[in-house]
Amino acid sequence: MAESLKDKLTDVLIKGNLLKKKDLEKALEIQKNSGGSLGKILVDKGFISQKSLVVAISSQFNIPPIDLLKYKIDKELIKIIPEKIARQYTLLPLSRIGNVLTIVMADPLNVFAIDDIKMITHYKIDLVIAQDSEIKEAINSYYGATAPLQEIAKILEEVAPEDSLEMIEEEKIDVSEITEESQKAPIVKVVSLILNEAIKKRASDIHIEPCEKFLKVRYRIDGSLHDVFTLPKKNQNAVLARLKIMSRLDITETRMPQDGRFKISFESKEIDFRVSVLPITFGGKVVLRILDKSSINIGLDKLGFLPEPLNTFKTGLARPYGMLLITGPTGSGKSTTLYSIVNQLNVPERNIITLEDPVEYETEGITQIAARPEIGLTFATGLRSVLRQSPDIIMVGEIRDFETADIAIKASLTGQLILSTLHTNDSAGAITRLIDMGVEPFLVASSLILASAQRLMRKICENCKEPMEIPVNVLERLGMGHAQIKKRSLKNFYRGKGCSRCNDTGYYGRIAILEALLIDDPIRNMIIKKASSDEIKEYAMKEKNMLTLRDNAIENCIMGITSFEEVLRVTSED
């Protein structure tokens, strides 16, 4: 049935000159490889507009189209369909008469969605169609109608229509008018609410993204982005200008990226915001990174590392000089770990200097330098100057090239402790990465104290945690037939069912896992002989009982801290 409906739709689109045959073939190929709704693929790829698709489906299948933004849905009716299902299928209940429930859908040809709704609600289903973006906006409005969202809507009502700044062409924007608008009480309150709510929800980033008809606000919570609410398009310039003014950026610059920062006080804590503004099609996208200083003062013992790798890490850190590297992808918590180390070592008798791009956490008692490549202050040139300042400990944000690596290694051989990061997949990979950059193997062997790899895993929500069983053969097939597991009951595995506390994700908070490789004499000999990272890792696992990232993840899974799915998502088989 689904196939015949699809054929009818594509015939209508091609015969009506709404879609080119070559574009249809491309879309069908994407659907074949990646799955998903054909209509969504056609719209996402720009082969057809949302409006044209809605009109075509409506005319061919006699499904009435509606302008959802003009409808007000009863909040009691919304409760009939769970939020998770509404978001999964992009639909909403619209009205109910007797045992007939009318639902509005973006893709009314999805018979599986309709069957699911029938099973969940036990109603007969009547269909109407609306644009995908309208339904998503309505879902955010009805299901995400938290107190702050309602408050923002109420505040924006204070801005009279004649005072609101409509979106106009860049060259005609009146800067003085924008500045005045951005400093009005309603806009100031809205921006403050966005920031406060993000901190309350434990967000690490705030994404404020201009779209064609509205301004979208998203929070990154536990590593995943969540749509929070949308703001009217007419308030876009004022909101963005307010953020630029707070960050001391140029509000007249709309064509070039800008970076800034500001601080706010929240519940007796000082919170830093690092701001990035990027020009995009419908305005300037703003991403704010939330930097909570309290997270770097807790020390290494409270980051969640398992005792074995943490003890190895501390052994390396106790050395008076040499190089210590932390590796991992962006967003794996490397900066937090580095700052936790630096704060732990920060005593009056030590001269600690950091060289970063940009400075993330401003810390008292530490000399911090922001790299500025545009004026020639790169990591390499900055590091040369830092060495003349008689430092005891140097933290370099990232080793990106041979010059930086060469200076850092030679500094570590002359009495300094060097802390830095690299982008590699595991701890042993840091060694081969340095050699690939052009550093002589004997210099790497002489200077490197410890290489570690780090990842962040989501923790199961304690509020909706429930046990689950996984057969041994499944674990072994996925490379998890580990001795630790075989010794324990398989009923120790858990998952999060999903609840209001965790926003139905099943996860709340994150924990760090660590793979620590302490460099000893046999490994130094292997480095000099240019052994591969696999050989070094195999030696460390067999002879030094090094716990890999997968081992760390499995142990956390057994302890009920994280889930089986999270182990597979974050780590790869050793």
Side-chain angles (χ1 to χ4, degrees):
M1 181 182 173
E3 189 62 30
S4 63
L5 289 174
K6 185 170 75 176
D7 289 343
K8 283 183 183 178
L9 174 62
T10 52
D11 284 346
V12 169
L13 293 175
I14 289 171
K15 286 175 183 175
N17 294 320
L18 296 170
L19 182 68
K20 294 176 183 175
K21 194 170 182 180
K22 63 176 184 179
D23 291 340
L24 172 63
E25 288 168 358
K26 284 179 190 175
L28 288 170
E29 185 65 25
I30 292 168
Q31 188 186 41
K32 183 181 176 183
N33 295 330
S34 310
S37 159
L38 178 62
K40 189 174 186 306
I41 294 167
L42 291 170
V43 173
D44 288 349
K45 291 295 175 184
F47 296 150
I48 189 173
S49 70
Q50 269 190 22
K51 192 173 182 180
S52 298
L53 183 66
V54 167
V55 170
I57 294 173
S58 173
S59 61
Q60 177 63 27
F61 300 101
N62 295 319
I63 300 171
I66 65 162
D67 183 355
L68 191 57
L69 300 178
K70 293 179 181 177
Y71 277 78
K72 188 172 182 180
I73 305 172
D74 185 352
K75 288 183 180 177
E76 287 303 310
L77 193 64
I78 289 291
K79 295 175 183 177
I80 293 175
I81 296 177
E83 181 181 351
K84 194 173 181 180
I85 297 296
R87 291 189 185 279
Q88 182 182 344
Y89 294 126
T90 317
L91 54 81
L92 273 174
L94 195 66
S95 66
R96 181 183 59 193
I97 300 172
N99 69 336
V100 178
L101 179 69
T102 300
I103 60 171
V104 57
M105 295 183 70
D107 181 14
L109 305 186
N110 188 340
V111 291
F112 302 106
I114 296 165
D115 288 342
D116 279 358
I117 297 299
K118 283 179 181 175
M119 200 182 332
I120 290 166
T121 63
H122 304 293
Y123 284 109
K124 290 180 181 178
I125 302 299
D126 207 349
L127 297 174
V128 295
I129 187 171
Q131 292 187 43
D132 182 271
S133 58
E134 288 180 7
I135 299 176
K136 284 179 178 174
E137 190 175 345
I139 288 171
N140 288 336
S141 175
Y142 287 101
Y143 289 103
T146 59
L149 177 57
Q150 292 170 338
E151 195 173 342
I152 284 173
K154 192 176 178 181
I155 290 166
L156 289 175
E157 285 174 11
E158 296 174 30
V159 186
E162 62 271 17
D163 293 335
S164 298
L165 187 68
E166 296 290 345
M167 285 303 296
I168 51 179
E169 294 176 21
E170 282 180 13
E171 57 270 21
K172 293 181 182 176
I173 288 176
D174 186 333
V175 175
S176 61
E177 197 176 333
I178 296 174
T179 306
E180 185 183 339
E181 178 73 14
S182 70
Q183 292 171 344
K184 287 184 179 177
I187 296 299
V188 172
K189 285 179 189 175
V190 165
V191 171
S192 295
L193 271 170
I194 291 171
L195 301 180
N196 289 349
E197 188 65 12
I199 297 167
K200 286 177 186 175
K201 287 182 177 291
R202 306 173 297 105
S204 60
D205 301 88
I206 305 170
H207 289 238
I208 300 174
E209 186 173 350
C211 300
E212 187 179 2
K213 295 181 180 177
F214 52 84
L215 187 66
K216 183 162 63 176
V217 180
R218 296 192 288 174
Y219 294 158
R220 188 179 292 280
I221 303 168
D222 296 333
S224 299
L225 276 172
H226 300 270
D227 286 348
V228 187
F229 42 74
T230 59
L231 300 176
K233 189 72 174 176
K234 64 186 179 183
N235 301 118
Q236 176 175 306
N237 280 344
V239 169
L240 299 187
R242 173 65 185 162
L243 289 166
K244 283 186 178 182
I245 289 167
M246 291 171 71
S247 313
R248 297 181 181 177
L249 298 177
D250 182 359
I251 67 166
T252 65
E253 179 55 76
T254 58
R255 298 181 183 181
M256 292 291 291
Q258 294 187 77
D259 295 305
R261 64 191 309 146
F262 63 88
K263 297 177 186 178
I264 66 168
S265 179
F266 180 82
E267 294 179 356
S268 303
K269 288 193 298 183
E270 194 178 83
I271 309 288
D272 281 10
F273 286 83
R274 200 175 78 210
V275 183
S276 170
V277 183
L278 185 70
I280 63 171
T281 309
F282 300 112
K285 179 176 179 179
V286 181
V287 176
L288 300 97
R289 168 66 57 89
I290 302 172
L291 304 168
D292 183 358
K293 284 186 180 178
S294 62
S295 67
I296 64 168
N297 295 325
I298 59 174
L300 282 172
D301 293 316
K302 294 181 182 177
L303 291 177
F305 298 136
L306 293 176
E308 297 94 326
L310 181 58
N311 290 335
T312 304
F313 198 86
K314 286 181 175 178
T315 302
L317 202 54
R319 305 279 175 87
Y321 59 88
M323 179 182 275
L324 188 147
L325 293 175
I326 301 175
T327 73
T330 302
S332 58
K334 300 189 297 295
S335 294
T336 301
T337 302
L338 275 179
Y339 271 103
S340 296
I341 295 167
V342 167
N343 270 279
Q344 208 163 293
L345 300 174
N346 186 14
V347 291
E349 54 266 30
R350 287 195 180 111
N351 178 19
I352 302 176
I353 302 178
T354 73
L355 185 59
E356 307 164 67
D357 182 20
V359 171
E360 292 206 32
Y361 298 92
E362 293 172 358
T363 311
E364 194 175 338
I366 294 172
T367 304
Q368 295 175 279
I369 303 165
R372 295 182 63 191
E374 69 274 11
I375 61 166
L377 181 55
T378 61
F379 280 132
T381 55
L383 196 49
R384 280 198 188 92
S385 299
V386 164
L387 291 172
R388 301 188 194 105
Q389 296 281 317
S390 181
D392 297 299
I393 299 168
I394 303 171
M395 185 184 102
V396 183
E398 185 187 342
I399 292 177
R400 297 174 179 170
D401 51 43
F402 165 73
E403 195 178 3
T404 308
D406 189 51
I407 299 166
I409 282 174
K410 286 171 181 173
S412 71
L413 292 171
T414 56
Q416 278 85 32
L417 179 64
I418 306 290
L419 309 171
S420 192
T421 69
L422 269 179
H423 286 282
T424 61
N425 291 326
D426 57 15
S427 53
I431 296 165
T432 50
R433 178 82 180 101
L434 288 172
I435 294 170
D436 288 344
M437 280 181 178
V439 180
E440 291 292 343
F442 75 90
L443 286 174
V444 177
S446 305
S447 62
L448 195 60
I449 303 169
L450 179 137
S452 67
Q454 186 172 311
R455 297 290 188 278
L456 291 176
M457 300 183 73
R458 292 180 293 175
K459 293 162 66 177
I460 298 171
C461 174
E462 292 294 331
N463 195 50
C464 59
K465 190 174 180 179
E466 62 178 17
M468 65 178 293
E469 237 179 291
I470 304 169
V472 177
N473 64 327
V474 173
L475 296 171
E476 289 178 343
R477 192 166 67 246
L478 294 168
M480 290 178 64
H482 197 278
Q484 291 169 302
I485 289 175
K486 291 178 181 177
K487 287 177 185 175
R488 307 190 195 190
S489 166
L490 294 183
K491 291 182 181 177
N492 281 20
F493 287 105
Y494 292 88
R495 69 177 178 187
K497 189 178 180 182
C499 63
S500 57
R501 179 178 180 256
C502 62
N503 199 28
D504 287 321
T505 61
Y507 298 99
Y508 190 89
R510 288 190 289 179
I511 190 168
I513 56 173
L514 181 73
E515 175 183 296
L517 174 64
L518 191 66
I519 309 301
D520 60 7
D521 288 336
I523 292 178
R524 287 191 183 95
N525 289 330
M526 293 172 80
I527 294 170
I528 291 167
K529 291 176 183 176
K530 295 186 178 180
S532 69
S533 59
D534 288 339
E535 291 172 307
I536 294 170
K537 187 172 183 176
E538 189 177 344
Y539 162 81
M541 289 166 66
K542 285 184 179 178
E543 304 299 326
K544 297 168 69 68
N545 296 317
M546 180 185 80
L547 289 181
T548 64
L549 288 169
R550 173 58 67 90
D551 294 334
N552 276 262
I554 290 170
E555 187 63 28
N556 277 296
C557 186
I558 293 168
M559 291 190 294
I561 295 170
T562 193
S563 68
F564 175 77
E565 289 84 358
E566 195 68 358
V567 171
L568 300 180
R569 184 184 75 85
V570 173
T571 65
S572 58
E573 192 175 339
D574 298 315

